[in-house]
Amino acid sequence: MLSLKKYLTEGLLQFTILLSLIGVRVDVDTYLTSQLPPLREIILGPSSAYTQTQFHNLRNTLDGYGIHPKSIDLDNYFTARRLLSQVRALDRFQVPTTEVNAWLVHRDPEGSVSGSQPSSGLALESSSGLQDVTGPDNGVRESETEQGFSEDLEDLGAVAPPVSGDLTKEDIDLIDILWRQDIDLGAGREVFDYSHRQKEQDVDKELRDGGEQADTWAGEGAEALARDLLVDGETGESFPAQFPANVASITEAVPSESEPPALQNSLLSPLLTGTESPFDLEQQWQDLMSIMEMQAMEVNTSASEILYNAPPGDPLSTNYSLAPNTPINQNVSLHQASLGGCSQDFSLFSPEVENLPVANSSTLLPLVPSNSTSLNSTFSSTNLAGLFFPPQLNGTANDTAGPELPDPLGGLLDEAMLDEISLMDLAIEEGFNPVEASQLEEEFDSDSGLSLDSSHSPSSLSSSEGSSSSSSSSSSSSSASSSASSSFSEEGAVGYSSDSETLDLEEAEGAVGYQPEYSKFCRMSYQDPSQLSCLPYLEHVGHNHTYNMAPSALDSADLPPPSTLKKGSKEKQADFLDKQMSRDEHRARAMKIPFTNDKIINLPVEEFNELLSKYQLSEAQLSLIRDIRRRGKNKMAAQNCRKRKLDTILNLERDVEDLQRDKARLLREKVEFLRSLRQMKQKVQSLYQEVFGRLRDENGRPYSPSQYALQYAGDGSVLLIPRTMADQQARRQERKPKDRRK
DNA sequence: CGGTTGTGTCATCAA
DNA sequence: AGTTGATGACACAAC
């Protein structure tokens, strides 16, 4: 029994590990097509692993444990994978093209090497630097990946150090393209796509090696930095080369001198005051709730505890809270103090700033509306058009209520997301070892082979089972069928039908001069002492499983009874065997049933009826035989049922794990996306600020941001329009997505 | 001694 | 209609 348990436990554990490991890399399709053909059927249709036949066959192996569960596990595993793919398809962020692009990038790590590797190099540097900087604050983080994640999150605000030399041409090209898109198109969608392209690159790298998550995550920051650098370079002295095409349409001339920071800041403030759409709010609620659930599930408890207990001054939260705060703050001087400079998009998130998260929060938070601290306040307005119509000066309801509502949620969500992601994804996905997986796979194959080996119907005895029972049963059942049948077939049928019917079973047992040889060898096939010694685990089995033996084996086991046994040992064995006998066996012996319970239970119906017809059995005997058969089969069925139940539970467990991992991945992707979006917004804001600040009216005076605003036209041109018009259009733009959602 | 676990058994349903 | 498998429920033994 203990060995059986151990075997079961270890097997399940190993297989669980295998599946979790495979879950990181394995492509379901390959399994479907090549390795496990039945799985296709299983996935496409009802699980064949749950069919009675298969289960039954598997169960008729040595013990059934460790073999069948694997097949079922695989079945459920792939079902889980399918479910997971569906979950992935949910696209909770409502991002068109997210899935396809992401998968493409995932599938082809080579293709993105040129574009992503340098970034990852940058990321490494930045992350390491950040790690050094923020080390004391993040002392609780233990694993490398966690650190990477955290650092990456820190990168949300902290841009990697300027290592522009590492940028490849592709990087610069990409940056350039994105830059132009930002400028030319001026629509939220482009920013959105860009952010996703960025995200895809990150995800790609991430998938390629979970251990490089820090690189991946920080890579984006590095890329953003690259863009930033590019922007800075272009916005420094001369007007950006990409700009004039659009700026040409501006109604007023654009002086080339730099603008006073005050004006820039006053412009930047409204820009950063992104309006939060109800959709975002709802999504964040959902995410928040899901995060709560995940917390409750205590998955990766230790990691979660560690991460959730991150110090309040953690750069992660600080970045999230600080960055949006400042823009919302409409005080020019304050804004200037926080942002430091409009041309420096990410100066706010420089490591120096991160070094003093608490100080920043203490200084900045009080200046900010109480609940307007969230990256969502800046991220929320995916519609850039709204971004370009700074509304705060008009003081419309949308301006105040809209962006502020989701802020507290956003802050919670972001922190929770970060924690969750780190604890979920890293704990589950890290440490995937292909070699180990292959070994496990081999193990699985061997096991499956075993199962196949023994997965024949009860009528055909498996070799493994034969070793355990049939070989010994050969002696016993042979004695039963040879000696017993020879003696019982005449005697039994005729002799004791009368008294056996009336006698109590036990009485009959004791009353009838029952040959010990019969009881010994007839029923328990493995009760030969020599055989028993070879099967020590059977000693722990309080019940016999002789019904597992195939009749053929029993039939083929017609060997003469071991007459050489000494009487003392015989008695001992008899006692032992009596204890080993099941109730039905006792009953059968009491009723002098002339064949083994194994036969009774495992023979096919035809053979069983044939066997019954051979003997002249009383009604009580026939009834008992049918009961024995029924109970025996039911016992097997119950065992199968229990194993199946256990497998189902285990599979559900694994499904939950997979879903949680997937959820963590999605959340991480969302963080990536939000980060990208925020960066893009900041960039757009700085550009807006710069362009607007360079505008002069006919008198050479700058336009007042309270009266005028820049607007991107659909054709990419930029117009200077009165703010009232801009607000109207912005409101119209906001209404659209709402209607679309309905 | 009570809770847990494993097992056998019965009743029942469905195929 | 009988057989068989699946499964919930229960009892019992072992731990």
Side-chain angles (χ1 to χ4, degrees):
Chain A
M1 207 48 129
L2 293 176
S3 63
L4 291 180
K5 284 184 186 175
K6 188 181 179 186
Y7 182 44
L8 168 64
T9 305
E10 289 180 355
L12 290 174
L13 276 175
Q14 289 174 358
F15 193 66
T16 303
I17 293 169
L18 166 64
L19 290 182
S20 65
L21 291 174
I22 290 175
V24 180
R25 299 257 174 119
V26 162
D27 183 8
V28 177
D29 294 335
T30 58
Y31 268 78
L32 290 178
T33 53
S34 60
Q35 291 193 311
L36 298 166
L39 288 171
R40 172 182 300 276
E41 169 186 343
I42 290 169
I43 290 176
L44 295 179
S47 166
S48 63
Y50 281 93
T51 58
Q52 298 176 0
T53 310
Q54 180 174 347
F55 200 90
H56 199 63
N57 295 341
L58 289 167
R59 184 247 166 276
N60 279 305
T61 58
L62 181 60
D63 57 0
Y65 285 92
I67 299 168
H68 169 266
K70 304 206 171 187
S71 61
I72 282 193
D73 284 353
L74 268 182
D75 180 6
N76 284 276
Y77 167 71
F78 287 108
T79 304
R81 299 301 299 175
R82 178 168 50 82
L83 293 174
L84 287 177
S85 67
Q86 293 177 0
V87 171
R88 293 191 182 100
L90 290 178
D91 192 3
R92 357 182 351 169
F93 311 129
Q94 304 294 321
V95 179
T97 74
T98 297
E99 269 183 1
V100 174
N101 291 337
W103 275 107
L104 287 175
V105 175
H106 293 179
R107 288 300 171 202
D108 186 14
E110 310 298 335
S112 61
V113 164
S114 60
S116 58
Q117 287 290 9
S119 298
S120 103
L122 280 171
L124 271 176
E125 289 191 25
S126 71
S127 62
S128 63
L130 287 173
Q131 184 173 351
D132 294 337
V133 168
T134 61
D137 291 341
N138 301 330
V140 288
R141 296 170 191 154
E142 293 173 356
S143 71
E144 219 176 285
T145 47
E146 282 177 355
Q147 280 187 352
F149 178 77
S150 303
E151 291 153 12
D152 174 49
L153 293 172
E154 290 160 6
D155 267 345
L156 287 173
V159 179
V163 196
S164 60
D166 290 343
L167 288 175
T168 63
K169 187 176 182 301
E170 283 90 348
D171 283 327
I172 296 173
D173 290 343
L174 177 61
I175 291 163
D176 192 31
I177 291 169
L178 295 170
W179 164 269
R180 290 182 190 178
Q181 284 182 344
D182 301 342
I183 300 303
D184 297 342
L185 302 179
R189 170 59 180 272
E190 282 71 22
V191 175
F192 202 77
D193 287 346
Y194 165 72
S195 66
H196 267 275
R197 282 193 300 273
Q198 232 177 4
K199 182 196 72 179
E200 290 157 12
Q201 289 178 351
D202 297 342
V203 173
D204 169 31
K205 285 179 283 184
E206 170 188 331
L207 280 195
R208 264 183 290 150
D209 186 15
E212 294 179 358
Q213 282 185 350
D215 314 347
T216 302
W217 286 58
E220 182 189 344
E223 201 166 325
L225 167 66
R227 279 184 287 121
D228 192 20
L229 290 173
L230 188 60
V231 172
D232 292 343
E234 294 180 13
T235 57
E237 293 298 325
S238 61
F239 209 73
Q242 295 87 346
F243 236 48
N246 298 329
V247 177
S249 63
I250 297 175
T251 55
E252 301 297 332
V254 178
S256 62
E257 70 252 22
S258 60
E259 293 306 314
L263 174 58
Q264 292 176 4
N265 290 327
S266 63
L267 284 168
L268 181 55
S269 300
L271 288 173
L272 288 173
T273 317
T275 56
E276 183 74 13
S277 69
F279 167 72
D280 292 331
L281 178 60
E282 187 174 328
Q283 284 294 320
Q284 287 161 12
W285 263 117
Q286 291 175 0
D287 291 333
L288 182 61
M289 295 309 291
S290 62
I291 288 165
M292 299 301 191
E293 291 173 5
M294 294 178 68
Q295 275 183 296
M297 296 179 86
E298 292 182 358
V299 176
N300 303 321
T301 308
S302 60
S304 67
E305 285 175 356
I306 290 173
L307 290 170
Y308 277 101
N309 292 332
D314 194 302
L316 307 182
S317 57
T318 305
N319 289 336
Y320 272 29
S321 59
L322 285 180
N325 290 347
T326 51
I328 290 172
N329 204 348
Q330 296 168 8
N331 186 324
V332 173
S333 62
L334 287 176
H335 186 72
Q336 190 174 1
S338 62
L339 281 180
C342 298
S343 60
Q344 301 291 330
D345 285 351
F346 307 105
S347 61
L348 174 64
F349 308 110
S350 62
E352 291 78 9
V353 176
E354 280 199 335
N355 282 338
L356 306 169
V358 178
N360 280 336
S361 60
S362 63
T363 57
L364 294 176
L365 282 176
L367 304 172
V368 173
S370 61
N371 58 350
S372 64
T373 67
S374 160
L375 87 160
N376 290 289
S377 63
T378 54
F379 287 178
S380 59
S381 69
T382 56
N383 186 357
L384 274 186
L387 195 72
F388 281 95
F389 304 118
Q392 98 286 3
L393 291 176
N394 287 339
T396 60
N398 284 338
D399 303 338
T400 57
E404 290 182 5
L405 271 178
D407 287 344
L409 288 180
L412 285 174
L413 171 62
D414 295 331
E415 295 179 30
M417 275 196 296
L418 307 183
D419 296 342
E420 183 179 27
I421 289 161
S422 58
L423 73 93
M424 293 291 301
D425 208 55
L426 300 179
I428 296 176
E429 289 185 353
E430 72 179 9
F432 178 79
N433 186 359
V435 178
E436 189 180 351
S438 63
Q439 289 174 352
L440 289 169
E441 199 173 59
E442 291 176 4
E443 192 177 327
F444 161 75
D445 289 340
S446 65
D447 286 345
S448 67
L450 177 63
S451 69
L452 288 175
D453 222 348
S454 55
S455 67
H456 41 257
S457 67
S459 57
S460 63
L461 182 67
S462 69
S463 61
S464 61
E465 186 149 0
S467 65
S468 65
S469 59
S470 80
S471 60
S472 56
S473 77
S474 62
S475 61
S476 64
S477 73
S478 67
S479 67
S481 54
S482 62
S483 65
S485 67
S486 60
S487 59
F488 279 99
S489 58
E490 308 106 13
E491 259 179 22
V494 178
Y496 35 80
S497 62
S498 57
D499 58 347
S500 66
E501 286 177 7
T502 56
L503 281 174
D504 185 51
L505 295 181
E506 282 71 16
E507 291 174 355
E509 236 177 286
V512 176
Y514 207 58
Q515 286 112 348
E517 290 79 9
Y518 175 78
S519 66
K520 217 186 311 175
F521 303 108
C522 177
R523 298 170 301 98
M524 304 296 283
S525 58
Y526 49 75
Q527 286 169 358
D528 186 318
S530 60
Q531 302 291 342
L532 264 179
S533 64
C534 298
L535 302 168
Y537 67 89
L538 287 177
E539 296 174 0
H540 304 285
V541 180
H543 55 277
N544 77 332
H545 293 283
T546 54
Y547 48 78
N548 288 334
M549 295 192 314
S552 59
L554 297 175
D555 293 336
S556 65
D558 286 341
L559 296 179
S563 57
T564 57
L565 292 173
K566 295 178 180 178
K567 189 164 186 177
S569 64
K570 275 187 185 178
E571 289 175 354
K572 276 186 184 176
Q573 293 164 23
D575 293 341
F576 178 75
L577 297 179
D578 283 344
K579 291 176 184 175
Q580 292 287 311
M581 284 195 305
S582 66
R583 281 181 280 174
D584 275 339
E585 284 166 337
H586 283 286
R587 293 182 192 125
R589 192 172 66 170
M591 295 286 282
K592 301 179 180 54
I593 304 300
F595 29 81
T596 66
N597 283 22
D598 307 316
K599 281 186 177 179
I600 293 172
I601 295 166
N602 289 318
L603 276 181
V605 185
E606 299 82 12
E607 296 181 36
F608 177 68
N609 291 331
E610 195 177 342
L611 181 67
L612 290 182
S613 64
K614 285 181 186 174
Y615 300 93
Q616 294 259 338
L617 298 173
S618 67
E619 200 58 36
Q621 280 177 313
L622 284 175
S623 177
L624 177 62
I625 287 172
R626 296 191 194 284
D627 283 345
I628 289 171
R629 183 178 175 86
R630 178 97 186 94
R631 280 192 288 265
K633 287 188 177 298
N634 185 251
K635 190 159 72 176
M636 290 191 294
Q639 289 167 352
N640 290 339
C641 186
R642 281 163 180 148
K643 276 200 287 285
R644 203 176 301 115
K645 205 180 289 184
L646 179 64
D647 293 336
T648 301
I649 292 171
L650 293 175
N651 287 327
L652 287 173
E653 236 173 24
R654 192 161 35 243
D655 289 353
V656 169
E657 281 180 12
D658 290 342
L659 289 170
Q660 285 172 340
R661 181 173 48 212
D662 211 56
K663 183 178 181 179
R665 183 184 59 79
L666 290 171
L667 285 171
R668 189 183 53 214
E669 289 177 3
K670 180 176 183 177
V671 170
E672 290 287 317
F673 159 70
L674 292 176
R675 186 198 307 163
S676 298
L677 183 61
R678 186 182 61 179
Q679 290 173 352
M680 290 305 301
K681 281 189 176 182
Q682 288 176 342
K683 188 174 295 302
V684 170
Q685 287 153 15
S686 74
L687 291 173
Y688 179 94
Q689 192 177 343
E690 181 165 349
V691 171
F692 192 89
R694 288 168 186 260
L695 295 178
R696 294 291 183 273
D697 58 9
E698 55 273 9
N699 297 328
R701 290 176 299 191
Y703 284 99
S704 169
S706 61
Q707 295 175 354
Y708 291 95
L710 290 177
Q711 180 190 6
Y712 277 2
D715 58 354
S717 61
V718 179
L719 302 175
L720 181 67
I721 61 175
R723 184 161 287 281
T724 53
M725 279 179 56
D727 291 337
Q728 290 174 2
Q729 295 189 18
R731 254 176 260 123
R732 233 176 288 140
Q733 294 274 355
E734 288 172 6
R735 240 172 274 133
K736 277 185 181 178
K738 293 179 187 176
D739 297 341
R740 228 179 292 136
R741 288 192 65 211
K742 291 172 184 173

